[in-house]
Amino acid sequence: QSVLTQPPSVSGAPGQRVTISCTGSSSNIGAGFEVHWYQQLPGRAPKLLIFGNSNRPSGVPDRFSGSKSGTSASLAITGLQADDEADYYCQSYDNSLSGSDVFGTGTKVTVL
Amino acid sequence: EVQLVQSGAEVKKSGESLKISCQGSGFSFTSYWIGWVRQMPGKGLEWMGSIFPGDSDTKYSPSFQGQVIISADKSISTAYLQWSSLKASDTAMYYCARLTTRSWAYWGQGTRVTVSS
């Protein structure tokens, strides 16, 4: 089971804003490790959406934004579009045990 | 252009061995960590481990330590994930990815592994 918890699903109408939370602990997000976000379209490999808490790779629309505070992080999608319907994962590093990268539990975004 | 190209789908029986590959191109293969990620059917992403081909330094998730071996052949810019004795629970899609800006910025297309009992 993942140490980063996300809501199983969120939904919104086209044009609306949705947010996805990623809750960690003092051994990962709360320890200052960066949070990254990935989008996985159905049947496709994951794609990096946000790196370093709030940075967008080249080509990612500014409708996607990330933030981090304390032991949690959030991904916001504004101006929701039909092709935003996908699974979204947060990822960070956890220094408990021997230390390793960890992914969140994943959130399915549905466009109504 | 950075590319990671993975080997094709595999269908195996329990107890058999398997080695899947991930070939990189468009970048200096010895300068970046290459990781492996498992996605079981209908489930989320799990980081398995990673390797730095430049010196073969390898890290494993505690969940996968002792269950798989990650290796690399820098002469052909290829990373590997191998099992000595597959189980039905190893049925999954496996992705390789390259670490950039402390995140997994580039991904392979995935290798589907099916293990029948």
Side-chain angles (χ1 to χ4, degrees):
Chain A
Q1 54 276 30
S2 176
V3 297
L4 301 180
T5 302
Q6 300 177 229
S9 63
V10 299
S11 61
Q16 283 192 328
R17 179 180 188 268
V18 297
T19 61
I20 301 169
S21 60
C22 174
T23 303
S25 67
S26 58
S27 64
N28 42 69
I29 299 174
F33 295 110
E34 293 177 320
V35 178
H36 318 293
W37 291 90
Y38 302 85
Q39 176 192 60
Q40 187 177 31
L41 296 168
R44 303 293 298 274
K47 169 191 167 186
L48 179 65
L49 207 57
I50 297 287
F51 69 93
N53 303 323
S54 59
N55 302 287
R56 284 185 307 277
S58 173
V60 173
D62 59 7
R63 300 186 298 104
F64 295 92
S65 62
S67 63
K68 173 189 159 184
S69 178
T71 58
S72 296
S74 290
L75 174 72
I77 310 174
T78 57
L80 198 62
Q81 298 178 0
D83 57 7
D84 295 334
E85 191 158 289
D87 293 321
Y88 293 82
Y89 296 90
C90 60
Q91 179 251 312
S92 186
Y93 181 85
D94 191 284
N95 64 9
S96 62
L97 299 177
S98 53
S100 64
D101 279 14
V102 287
F103 285 96
T105 50
T107 298
K108 169 71 175 178
V109 169
T110 300
V111 182
L112 301 172
Chain B
E1 179 195 7
V2 173
Q3 282 197 311
L4 296 170
V5 178
Q6 298 185 228
S7 49
E10 301 274 2
V11 179
K12 294 290 210 178
K13 291 182 169 29
S14 290
E16 292 185 329
S17 63
L18 176 65
K19 191 173 189 177
I20 63 174
S21 66
C22 168
Q23 184 171 41
S25 63
F27 64 98
S28 174
F29 191 73
T30 54
S31 301
Y32 294 89
W33 286 87
I34 301 294
W36 288 95
V37 175
R38 181 175 80 174
Q39 187 167 40
M40 299 177 75
K43 302 298 184 183
L45 305 175
E46 302 172 89
W47 181 76
M48 302 176 71
S50 52
I51 188 166
F52 190 77
D55 60 7
S56 294
D57 187 15
T58 310
K59 303 177 184 178
Y60 291 93
S61 161
S63 300
F64 292 93
Q65 179 83 48
Q67 308 303 308
V68 296
I69 296 174
I70 294 171
S71 61
D73 184 340
K74 58 187 179 184
S75 70
I76 54 172
S77 300
T78 301
Y80 300 98
L81 177 65
Q82 69 180 88
W83 296 259
S84 58
S85 180
L86 287 161
K87 302 185 284 286
S89 58
D90 293 318
T91 294
M93 181 72 86
Y94 293 88
Y95 294 101
C96 66
R98 193 196 90 171
L99 193 70
T100 305
T101 57
R102 305 171 302 282
S103 58
W104 299 104
Y106 299 93
W107 292 70
Q109 83 277 21
T111 295
R112 186 173 301 280
V113 174
T114 303
V115 184
S116 62
S117 52

